[in-house]
Amino acid sequence: MTIPKDIPEKWFPIFPHLKWIKLGLPTSEKIRCGTEQERRVRANDREYNEKFLYANNCIMTSKYNIITFLPVNLFEQFQEVANTYFLFLLILQLIPQISSLPWFTTIVPLVLVLSITAVKDATDDYFRHKSDNQVNNRQSQVLINGVLQKEKWMDVRVGDIIKLENNQFVAADLLLLSSSEPHGLCYIETAELDGETNMKVRQSLAVTSELGEPGNLAQFDGEVVCELPNNKLDRFCGALHWRECKYTLTNNNMLLRGCVLRNTESCYGLVIFAGPDTKLMQNSGRTKFKRTSIDHLMNTLVLWIFGFLVCMGVILAIGNAVWEREVGSLFQSYLPWDPPVDNFLFSAFLSFWSYVIILNTVVPISLYVSVEVIRLGHSYFINWDRRMFCNRSNTAAEARSTTLNEELGQVEYIFSDKTGTLTQNIMTFNKCSINGHAYGDVMDTPGAQHKRAQPLDFSAWNPLADRDFCFYDVSLLEAVKMREPAVHEFFRVLSLCHTVMSEEKSEGELVYKAQSPDEGALVTAARNFGFVFRSRTPSTITTQELGKEVTYTLLAILDFNNIRKRMSVIVRTPEGHICLYCKGADTVLFDRLHSCNHDLMNITSDHLNEFAGDGLRTLALAYRDLSEEQWEEWAERYHGADKAIDYREDRLAAAYEEIEQDMMLLGATAIEDKLQEGIAETITVLSLANIKIWVLTGDKQETAVNIGYSSKMLTDDMTEVFIMNGYTVQSVREDLRRARERMLESSRSRDGVKEAEMQDFGGACSLGNGFGSRDAANWIPGQKKSAQPPAPPTSLLESVSGEFALVISGHSLAHALEADMEQEFLETACACRTVICCRVTPLQKAMVVELIRRHKNAVTLAIGDGANDVSMIKTAHIGVGISGQEGIQAVLASDYSFSQFRFLQRLLLVHGRWSYLRMCRFLCYFFYKNFAFTMVHFWFGFFCGFSAQTVYDQYFITLYNIVYTSLPVLAMGIFDQDVSDQRSLQYPKLYEPGQLNLLFNKREFFICIAQGIYTSVVLFFVPYGALWQATQSNGVPLADYQTFAVTTATALVIVVSVQISLDTGYWTAINHFFVWGSLGTYFTILFTMHSSILFNIFPKQFHFLGSAQSTLSQPLVWLTIALATVICIAPVLAFRFLKLDLKPQLSDTVRYTQLVQKKQWKAGGHARRSMGGASGPGGSGLGHLGRGGSRRSGYAFAHQEGFGELITSGKNMRLSSLALATFAARHSSSWIDTLRKKKHSPPAGDSSPAPSVAAPVSNSSSLIGPLETAAEQRGQTNADPQVGVADVAQVETGQCSLVVQEALCGWRATAGARLSSTGASSLGPPPIAEETNGE
Amino acid sequence: MKAGPSRTNRPDNTAFTQQRLPAWQPILSAGIVIPGFTLIGLAFIGVGVALFVTSQKITDLEIDYTGVAATSPCFKCTSFAAENCMCQMEFTLTTLFEGPVFFYYGLTSYYQNFRTYGVSKDGYQLSGDTYYFNNPQDSCAPYQYDSNNNPIVPCGSIANSMFSDTFQLYQVVNGMKKQVPLDGKGIAWWTDYNIKYSNPALVNGSFANAFSGTVKPVNWSKPVYELDPTDQANNGFLNQNFLVWMRQAALPKFQKLYGRIAEGDYAQGLPAGNYTLLINYSYPVISFGGTKKVVLSNVSWMGGKNQFLGIAYLVIGSLCIVMAMVMLIIYAKYKFTDDDEDM
């Protein structure tokens, strides 16, 4: 793996143990803490600044160096309870009186474990060193004694003045002193810092920006007094004292480390905070270490086992006391007590510790290592999964945290960001309505398929067209060519009325920098239709209209804000006409139209409804011709308002309002906020898996609701969508109460019986919607649901239709999250099928997640792409970052990352489910095998005077866990599958056992250890019974200790091997190799250890000489082993068979049908081929955009206000195009270009098939996935073209069997037919259901 | 590995990375489980019958000579005062005791498997390393040095507690005692005799000299090089009885081989008649509640008499059959319809 350069990982170390960083740094933290109340920095005065001992700019995220590695790493490792415990055991074993096992039985595994961890830590740290070095050795230009000198980053000191050039990383937190740009402005990109991809402007103080030259700056001796280092990225307060004056400093004057200078030739800054004091480093606090619920359970269980261990020890110690008193004291003629032992009580005390030593293997040290290995394996499988690889962004899924995999199989709540996660954050100009004529509606006409494949080619007649732009309706282009005035005016509005900035690197290569993607899309649309926005100055806009260059005088920009919901420009055409062009939300705009627009308005309104129904973001366009007088008159008022000191905003708004009247409607645009691929399908499948999805977005309510509909989270057939918008505590409380009343009401109106259930919101919530509760109740009896009376099927069915959704805005949420209301909110929200929180702050996102985490005892997953999602990603049990986008902070904070939301279903339903299953099976078996192994000692205790004599050879004890039984169970833990990945996706219900924690819980644990104890009983008493008076055929007794040990050990190894064979459900070659290999290894090692060769070398160590041969050549011993094996395994086998027969789980059934079909496939599936002739995946024309609905959709304006002003003030303009040209020449690849490359990232030389950007989303990925796989699989062995068809048949059979299964296990008799038929259409993923219905 | 911009990061499409390794996915179907149970059951019953019958054929005879009861001939030897006490047990065989007959002594409540007992020996010493003759390992404590600080050879509790009773078996033929030869050779493990234990090299041609400077174990009456006065080769650490004793028993109730009756007139076994067992009673067990016995037994292919295994096999076999039937019934009741449909 290579780490891409400049990835700021080095600044966000995954485990930054700040403690160590600080220890290793030559900063005197203590001194400063005591004295520093504020920071004083004097420019160009190192001597002065050094007094304060500020941290230098060297960062150290690494934890160790060569000398400290061993002690520090060991110290850290022994902070783990398990390791300390084993160290304690080791020490116990060194005491000869209690050492029941030689020291190496513990030290070998312990050293193994410690060294594996140490190697891993060392590797991690090595990479940290490398990246630290790389960062620390970056060059920066420091002004020393008036000369710019190259210095390494780490040598930069506080108080230095450094020069930054374009596209350079900012080396430390700087006070911007001067810039090459006018007004001391400079532009930075803060993506690495806060994830926001738009550029930000920073401005230097006027007094310093005049300094400009290095010569002047060298003389600068201002002193900055400011706050102490902190982690607030958006706040800075301080003051500059210079030449007897005091200037206030704000965040606007600061360049923070981690930002990149953009679009600015160079700038100078004064280092204020360096190295570890920078805001970036202050922010990279210790990441909370996430643990899975299995981890917690495991820790609890391990504690219990310790308790158990102590109990066993106590029992045996008591036994020892009694024995020593009754027998041992008399037996002293042959076996005197050890010198320190003078009474039986002391002997019992020693015996207790001795037994602690030999019974410690119930919690073997290898448990933790094995768990880690398994998780690591699963993480690799996630990384390797081709079906979670995105071609377009060339990113594969990545499991960044390797400790959470099995929790992926238990997720109940998903919290999703909207922008960039559900949507691509790409706006495309999709449709428009011009003068009552709708364009762009191609997609819905029949036979759209081929037309869609060919977007219009603009480049032929418009050299300036943007090649990435796609539009499918020829008639609009025709209309433009026909010079229809309305159409022209329409695009003119789009090309003029905006705040987009353009850059033209070379002739015809236009790059737009838009504040919101919507605007970019609109301007780009105009550009392609021949109205090209080329450049602007503070007072002009130059466009190219159908090849002819036109320059408009920009008279005013009537800026956008949230209340106005529109923006306008007033321009003077070259002909001298004055015109107002306006675009805005239809609701706002329609009120300000001239009355003659009535008819047009109605038609447009219809179109708008239609667009909105398709989930598009709409905007209405209008214009107004102004006379010179009107303009003059208004301009005066406008300037008055603009210059007003107080209420400037209000006055301006009033002035705007005045002129934006009597406008003529031109039409409307519809922009598609492109959903990511497969969103609707993913959401459907996930909710079928009983996972609840909440959308938490910073976006506006309209947009959020819009996306809710287009992603199928909200549907028109929902019973009710509650929208909570209240600003006060009372109104929010009232809203919540009303919502709950409504829900109660509607359920009561349907069925009076339901009352009880609805009051129990908690229960309803934890099991999700109707599907969930119905199935949970049926599949898994005895769950928490069982408290409820089994509702008759009719009411259950109706609860399915009773679907509610909650849309809540940030300000309401603030109240709802107050301590006294959160319970109410929780109840209400959890009763809803969909929850959308809009306009929420990052903190609120985290609070919502925290709320569920705290109260629901459910596993939460947060998914997002931006810096604003970091908090919730860190708060949730599992954080998922969308990678492949610009912002990288979410990914850095996340546990898993991939580039498409739709991969979530595979991550959860396939990888998560498997991981959970494997981990559970692993743990069950692991505890089983160790109890079986260890408890034999307990039984033996009763026959050896409780002397802590082991049953087995000490080498067997050493190797049992690390050699003889480790690999088969690891293979199972890594490779096992109960059902294939396709099936996992097809039957989302398979996910439920994980959510309900069914596969490994305390009950399962007790079953495991009970089985283990049973096995240990058998393993001890069967050889006991068989051997105690047996002899070899040559008369030599078999009941000697060594024979007994070998017999028991062999029986144990065989029994646990048979058991693992039984537990393994997926026998790959590796499993075979490991299982047989382990057995082989056992016998090989056994014979080697008992051979005379080893004995001759170490006569004292291998005193089991000859036992293996002597023992295992006896038929009697083998008969004993066979007997023990059958007694151990037969009940398990019978139990499992009966369970499978009487109470099959869904996974069993699916597995069964899968196998049956495979068998049939092998036997020649020819007969089936004729059946499934129906349509392939293409036939599932599930439109991704919902139809109908009375919603008036959101308007397409996502940007901030204030940009109009920036433009007219000219602040953000370059003074001359000359400067631009030289700049462009100097930097061969402009930053904008790089930015674009990053955005649309298909690399030029990509060998893989070109990504179909235009491919519509309507394909069902959930169906495609499996089919693809199947085809891939089969394709290797069988090139039969009919394969695909037969596979469809398979899918159908699966579907049918699910129905059968449900009918079987559910409400068998009552209304079975009706239920199962509805089940068929609603339970499977929709496309399949459609097919089934189609037949 | 460098990830250039033109290079795709797409993971490899191999069966392994994509988790599509060809695999056998067994399922506990009725077609396997029920016949499986039946087969196992039948096999077990078969083996069980064989074991049981074989075991029944084996004769064994146990003679407890602890002498707890006052009526026992050995009662006299149980008092502490008794030195070199001999006692005599009589028994009668009504039929031929088929040979070869093995002669065992057995102890109960004797904890050879006690942990500290088990480690109380010096492997180096026993392998004939004379350095350890003078410097026995600490594991032998408290039988490492005697009270005069002389090293004990063989040291340790196991050796010290060596069983010291000796036996002679006589057939009473016409009132005359005819000694039944007890062959004490080859009763130890081959590896013990040939590899694990060795005597020290002769010093000045004398075996005893090799042990000079050492003392015999506290409880022993004779030093280790004089264990068998009749056979010079059967002395030292390679004394058969010593080897047998040194091989610890797994359980507190055990028997150890003392000799074979396979020679001369008794090669075919012990004919019917009266026998006298003459015991040199010197090993105290009553103090800790143990018992001593002598066992005569013959063997089959599966060793000595072993009721347990045969019965266990029969029981488990039958249970398997019963289980198979139960499963068949349950399966028939719940699964038939379903299966017809699917198969």
Side-chain angles (χ1 to χ4, degrees), chain B residues 10-156:
Chain B
R10 180 188 281 269
D12 296 336
N13 185 15
T14 62
F16 179 73
T17 56
Q18 303 308 311
Q19 307 196 56
R20 292 193 255 104
L21 286 175
W24 173 52
Q25 300 185 50
I27 194 162
L28 292 179
S29 66
I32 296 170
V33 176
I34 297 174
F37 265 80
T38 320
L39 276 179
I40 290 176
L42 291 176
F44 265 55
I45 290 174
V47 175
V49 167
L51 283 173
F52 191 74
V53 170
T54 320
S55 184
Q56 287 305 99
K57 276 191 201 149
I58 293 172
T59 5
D60 68 341
L61 176 74
E62 274 188 35
I63 306 157
D64 189 316
Y65 70 96
T66 321
V68 187
T71 54
S72 165
C74 290
F75 178 68
K76 58 176 179 178
C77 297
T78 56
S79 65
F80 287 100
E83 285 273 331
N84 276 338
C85 176
M86 307 284 281
C87 60
Q88 193 163 304
M89 305 285 289
E90 316 276 335
F91 64 93
T92 308
L93 296 177
T94 51
T95 54
L96 172 72
F97 200 125
E98 256 180 71
V101 178
F102 293 87
F103 187 100
Y104 303 92
Y105 63 90
L107 292 170
T108 60
S109 300
Y110 195 101
Y111 288 83
Q112 265 209 318
N113 58 6
F114 201 85
R115 178 169 56 86
T116 47
Y117 182 90
V119 295
S120 187
K121 62 178 180 185
D122 183 345
Y124 293 112
Q125 213 181 52
L126 294 171
S127 62
D129 190 332
T130 47
Y131 171 80
Y132 293 92
F133 280 31
N134 294 315
N135 307 283
Q137 286 190 316
D138 293 342
S139 58
C140 286
Y143 299 112
Q144 191 179 8
Y145 296 98
D146 73 353
S147 47
N148 301 322
N149 213 19
N150 293 318
I152 297 174
V153 173
C155 69

Side-chain angles (χ1 to χ4, degrees), chain A residues 1204-1216:
Chain A
E1205 201 173 337
L1206 202 59
I1207 288 170
T1208 44
S1209 72
K1211 268 190 177 176
N1212 64 346
M1213 304 278 173
R1214 299 200 162 275
L1215 282 187
S1216 64

Side-chain angles (χ1 to χ4, degrees), chain A residues 2 97 99-100 323-324 327 330-331 333-336 338 354 381 383-387 389 391 394 396 911 914 918 940 943-945 947-949 975 977-978 1022 1024-1026 1028-1037 1039-1044 1065-1068 1070 1092 1095-1096 1099-1100 1103 1105-1107 1110 1115-1116 1119 1122-1123 1126-1127 1130 1133-1134 1136-1138 1140-1142 1151-1152 1154-1156 1158 1160 1243 1245-1246 1272-1273 1276 1300 1304, chain B residues 1-3 5-13 16-30 33-34 37 40 44 47 51 62 102 104 109-111 113-117 121 123-124 127 137 139 142-143 157 160-161 187 189 191 195-196 219 247-253 255-257 260 283-285 287-288 299-309 312-313 316 320 323 327 330-331 334-335 338-339 341-343:
Chain A
T2 51
Q97 272 74 26
S99 160
S100 44
W323 186 88
E324 288 287 3
V327 184
L330 306 172
F331 195 59
S333 52
Y334 296 119
L335 181 65
D338 279 334
S354 301
F381 281 133
N383 295 348
W384 285 334
D385 195 332
R386 282 164 74 87
R387 263 170 244 110
F389 170 79
N391 247 334
N394 194 21
H911 290 286
W914 276 348
R918 291 163 178 174
F940 189 51
F943 297 89
C944 68
S947 61
Q949 174 67 293
F975 301 110
Q977 307 180 4
D978 55 347
V1022 168
Y1024 174 85
W1028 76 272
Q1029 60 169 6
T1031 63
Q1032 300 182 6
S1033 44
N1034 64 3
V1036 176
D1040 67 294
Y1041 171 70
Q1042 296 188 348
T1043 305
F1044 190 80
Y1066 194 76
W1067 280 83
T1068 63
I1070 300 169
S1092 55
F1095 177 82
N1096 286 335
K1100 178 80 200 235
H1103 57 270
L1105 172 68
S1107 305
S1110 150
L1116 198 71
L1119 286 176
L1123 179 68
V1126 169
I1127 297 179
L1133 206 62
R1136 292 207 179 162
F1137 174 75
L1138 290 180
L1140 201 66
D1141 226 28
L1142 296 177
R1151 186 181 165 86
Y1152 184 73
Q1154 180 179 324
L1155 289 173
V1156 168
K1158 206 186 229 173
Q1160 285 171 351
D1246 199 337
E1272 249 179 278
Q1273 273 176 344
Q1276 289 164 350
V1300 169
L1304 241 175
Chain B
M1 182 176 116
K2 256 194 176 155
S6 63
R7 169 125 182 199
T8 173
N9 296 327
R10 180 188 281 269
D12 296 336
N13 185 15
F16 179 73
T17 56
Q18 303 308 311
Q19 307 196 56
R20 292 193 255 104
L21 286 175
W24 173 52
Q25 300 185 50
I27 194 162
L28 292 179
S29 66
V33 176
I34 297 174
F37 265 80
I40 290 176
F44 265 55
V47 175
L51 283 173
E62 274 188 35
F102 293 87
Y104 303 92
S109 300
Y110 195 101
Y111 288 83
N113 58 6
F114 201 85
R115 178 169 56 86
T116 47
Y117 182 90
K121 62 178 180 185
Y124 293 112
S127 62
Q137 286 190 316
S139 58
Y143 299 112
S157 299
N160 185 58
S161 61
I187 54 174
W189 277 29
T191 44
I195 301 169
K196 201 167 174 181
N219 288 9
R247 180 151 286 278
Q248 283 168 263
L251 299 163
K253 190 160 71 171
Q255 56 195 44
K256 285 177 184 281
L257 192 54
R260 289 192 184 82
Y283 200 75
V285 292
S287 61
F288 58 87
V299 299
S300 66
W301 60 269
M302 49 153 279
K305 197 169 183 80
N306 200 343
Q307 302 275 25
F308 172 85
L309 214 51
Y313 261 84
I316 298 300
C320 282
M323 211 47 231
M327 284 192 284
I330 291 175
Y331 175 72
Y334 290 96
K335 204 56 185 261
D338 204 295
D339 224 35
E341 198 176 290
D342 279 334
M343 293 298 262

Side-chain angles (χ1 to χ4, degrees), chain A residues 411 680-693 767-776 779 800 803 833 905 909 984-993 995 1146 1262 1295 1298 1302 1318-1329:
Chain A
V411 172
E681 289 78 7
T682 305
I683 286 177
T684 317
V685 170
L686 289 179
S687 53
L688 282 173
N690 203 19
I691 300 172
K692 309 192 103 195
I693 303 173
L767 284 165
N769 52 53
F771 281 144
S773 53
R774 181 181 66 192
D775 281 283
W779 285 112
V800 173
E803 289 178 339
R833 199 173 82 110
Q905 61 177 318
L909 299 188
S984 301
L985 289 170
Q986 275 167 23
Y987 302 95
K989 279 274 160 277
L990 286 171
Y991 192 73
E992 249 169 28
Q995 291 171 329
L1146 177 58
S1262 62
Q1295 182 67 24
L1298 174 66
E1302 287 190 343
T1318 46
S1321 53
S1322 54
L1323 276 177
I1328 306 175

Side-chain angles (χ1 to χ4, degrees), chain A residues 1017-1218:
Chain A
V1017 171
V1018 173
L1019 284 178
F1020 179 75
F1021 286 101
V1022 168
Y1024 174 85
L1027 296 184
W1028 76 272
Q1029 60 169 6
T1031 63
Q1032 300 182 6
S1033 44
N1034 64 3
V1036 176
L1038 272 174
D1040 67 294
Y1041 171 70
Q1042 296 188 348
T1043 305
F1044 190 80
V1046 172
T1047 310
T1048 320
T1050 310
L1052 172 70
V1053 169
I1054 289 177
V1055 167
V1056 296
S1057 295
V1058 173
Q1059 180 68 36
I1060 192 73
S1061 314
L1062 215 58
D1063 283 350
T1064 304
Y1066 194 76
W1067 280 83
T1068 63
I1070 300 169
N1071 292 81
H1072 278 289
F1073 179 73
F1074 281 172
V1075 171
W1076 301 118
S1078 287
L1079 278 174
T1081 313
Y1082 168 71
F1083 286 111
T1084 314
I1085 293 181
L1086 185 74
F1087 278 102
T1088 315
M1089 292 244 198
H1090 297 179
S1091 70
S1092 55
I1093 302 159
L1094 273 182
F1095 177 82
N1096 286 335
I1097 303 169
F1098 311 101
K1100 178 80 200 235
Q1101 301 301 326
F1102 297 95
H1103 57 270
F1104 266 60
L1105 172 68
S1107 305
Q1109 210 186 353
S1110 150
T1111 309
L1112 297 181
S1113 58
Q1114 298 302 314
L1116 198 71
V1117 168
W1118 286 107
L1119 286 176
T1120 311
I1121 292 171
L1123 179 68
T1125 310
V1126 169
I1127 297 179
C1128 287
I1129 298 299
V1132 182
L1133 206 62
F1135 176 74
R1136 292 207 179 162
F1137 174 75
L1138 290 180
K1139 198 175 157 209
L1140 201 66
D1141 226 28
L1142 296 177
K1143 215 176 78 180
Q1145 304 290 306
L1146 177 58
S1147 56
D1148 298 330
T1149 322
V1150 172
R1151 186 181 165 86
Y1152 184 73
T1153 50
Q1154 180 179 324
L1155 289 173
V1156 168
Q1157 278 162 21
K1158 206 186 229 173
K1159 227 179 273 168
Q1160 285 171 351
W1161 177 263
K1162 271 190 197 147
H1166 309 281
R1168 292 205 153 259
R1169 290 190 184 165
S1170 55
M1171 271 178 61
S1175 58
S1180 60
L1182 187 79
H1184 65 298
L1185 299 175
R1187 278 259 126 214
S1190 50
R1191 294 158 283 113
R1192 185 57 139 247
S1193 107
Y1195 49 95
F1197 250 129
H1199 72 265
Q1200 303 153 297
E1201 64 179 300
F1203 276 91
E1205 201 173 337
L1206 202 59
I1207 288 170
T1208 44
S1209 72
K1211 268 190 177 176
N1212 64 346
M1213 304 278 173
R1214 299 200 162 275
L1215 282 187
S1216 64
S1217 55
L1218 190 74

